[in-house]
Amino acid sequence: MNLMEQWRASVYDENMSAAQLDRIWKDYFEKEKNIYAQLLENPDEVVEGTVAQLAEKYGITAQEMAGFLDGIDDSLKKKNNIEKLTEKTKVQLGFDKELLYKNMVKAKADWLYNLPQWDAIFSKDKQKELFKEQKLSGTVVKGKKIGRNDPCPCGSGKKYKHCCGRA
């Protein structure tokens, strides 16, 4: 079983009680927060190494590192092959700052997008702008409904009911 399979088996175990899973996730989120705080201290540095080396660097298990890599993968400039991770797999954590912030907002991870390290990267106005952009990206806006007697949108000059609105 590779590291991603081990990680998923440990955090999505149906045999565990809700309280046990809550403790596991709470503990993981605290570790995740600490890793992001360290990464955001120097956001332009591309951290590289094997999964085992990075796990040791950040004080977590290799399975937790696999979970972290799964979470950050969509924000990386160069994706890692997370489905085939082993402890010896070389990975990199070069992330797009704006994309990472937006993905944290999308995940509703307020403990991450509210980290104080973001203040040194983006102004408060920029953070609000990115937050709003992400929130609006998931909003579906329906166009105005065309009435039977409105001009046809095809540009023919006819009423919709006598042009494209015919059944």
Side-chain angles (χ1 to χ4, degrees), residues 3 50-52 85-90:
L3 287 174
T50 65
V51 172
L85 289 177
T86 68
E87 290 189 17
K88 295 179 182 179
T89 305
K90 289 190 177 195

Side-chain angles (χ1 to χ4, degrees), residues 33-43 57-58 117:
K33 180 180 172 182
N34 292 332
I35 296 171
Y36 277 116
Q38 291 177 56
L39 288 173
L40 293 173
E41 287 294 330
N42 191 357
K57 176 179 180 168
Y58 295 113
Q117 288 82 355

Side-chain angles (χ1 to χ4, degrees), residues 50-93:
T50 65
V51 172
Q53 289 169 335
L54 294 182
E56 184 178 336
K57 176 179 180 168
Y58 295 113
I60 60 175
T61 66
Q63 289 87 2
E64 290 169 328
M65 191 68 212
F68 180 81
L69 290 166
D70 187 27
I72 197 173
D73 200 55
D74 287 341
S75 304
L76 297 177
K77 293 176 183 174
K78 180 183 171 209
K79 306 279 187 239
N80 295 305
N81 188 355
I82 59 171
E83 294 302 325
K84 296 191 179 189
L85 289 177
T86 68
E87 290 189 17
K88 295 179 182 179
T89 305
K90 289 190 177 195
V91 294
Q92 61 82 28
L93 302 177

Side-chain angles (χ1 to χ4, degrees), residues 3 18 20 25 28 47-48 54 63 66 72 74-75 77 85-86 104 114 116 135-136 138 146 149 163:
L3 287 174
Q20 288 173 310
W25 280 108
Y28 171 74
V47 177
E48 296 179 287
L54 294 182
Q63 289 87 2
I72 197 173
D74 287 341
S75 304
K77 293 176 183 174
L85 289 177
T86 68
M104 289 175 172
N114 285 327
K135 289 296 185 182
L136 290 175
I146 303 166
N149 291 315
C163 190

